[in-house]
Amino acid sequence: MDGIKNIRLKDYNYSSNGYYFVTIACHDKNSFLIDLEEIIEEAIKKVGQIDGVVIDYWTAMPDHLHLIISLSNCSLKLGEVVRRLKALVSKEAGFKVWQPNYYEHVVRDKRALEKIRQYIIDNPLAEKIEFEQFYRKTDNTEL
């Protein structure tokens, strides 16, 4: 995998229980997802059947997919869950749908989880999400 930048947190255990906000972009920034929503929905249902995995919320935009994935005593790491989802969609579509990597944000508290859910509903076309705005310095409400 030469040339693919590792963007994961260095010492974080991505099989830890919790919520993860994931964004997966289409290969070469194409707008494939307009025609693949049913395939994506079926793949999400299958991934949600993996023991310890819940797809909390998701939305497909023309060129990327937003998901909130919850892991609870899951034997798989987040990357494997995402890999399986991407493989299911690409196999069913019959072509390479996704870019090689994905973006994730570890959701640290309930307030941020609610804000990210609202972001997915209200503003899926926004260029950039500033996660730190969701966390108050005095509010440490654990998930």
Side-chain angles (χ1 to χ4, degrees):
M1 291 193 355
D2 289 334
I4 298 175
K5 183 180 176 184
N6 185 354
I7 57 175
R8 307 284 84 79
L9 295 173
K10 186 175 180 179
D11 294 320
Y12 187 80
N13 178 357
Y14 282 96
S15 61
S16 295
N17 291 349
Y19 289 85
Y20 301 86
F21 177 53
V22 173
T23 300
I24 311 169
C26 287
H27 179 68
D28 288 337
K29 299 181 181 178
N30 287 303
S31 295
F32 296 136
L33 303 189
I34 294 170
D35 300 323
L36 299 178
E37 195 152 349
E38 287 180 26
I39 291 172
I40 292 167
E41 189 169 347
E42 285 304 310
I44 286 172
K45 285 179 187 175
K46 286 180 183 176
V47 168
Q49 293 172 353
I50 297 169
D51 192 35
V53 175
V54 173
I55 306 300
D56 177 74
Y57 209 91
W58 68 278
T59 190
M61 300 307 300
D63 64 350
H64 64 281
L65 176 67
H66 287 305
L67 303 131
I68 298 174
I69 300 173
S70 172
L71 300 182
S72 179
N73 301 317
C74 184
S75 62
L76 303 176
K77 291 186 175 186
L78 178 65
E80 179 60 18
V81 173
V82 173
R83 187 201 67 76
R84 289 183 184 195
L85 175 65
K86 290 167 69 173
L88 285 166
V89 172
S90 289
K91 182 179 179 183
E92 189 64 30
F95 58 91
K96 184 177 180 178
V97 175
W98 308 108
Q99 72 176 13
N101 216 333
Y102 65 95
Y103 301 93
E104 108 287 316
H105 174 78
V106 179
V107 182
R108 299 185 300 259
D109 63 38
K110 288 180 183 179
R111 180 175 182 269
L113 178 61
E114 291 303 319
K115 292 284 188 179
I116 293 167
R117 286 175 179 150
Q118 199 62 49
Y119 168 80
I120 290 174
I121 293 167
D122 292 342
N123 200 8
L125 292 175
E127 289 295 317
K128 186 175 179 184
I129 184 170
E130 297 293 336
F131 290 106
E132 292 309 313
Q133 70 182 334
F134 299 153
Y135 298 98
R136 290 187 202 137
K137 295 195 187 300
T138 58
D139 183 14
N140 292 335
T141 314
E142 300 262 337
L143 287 172

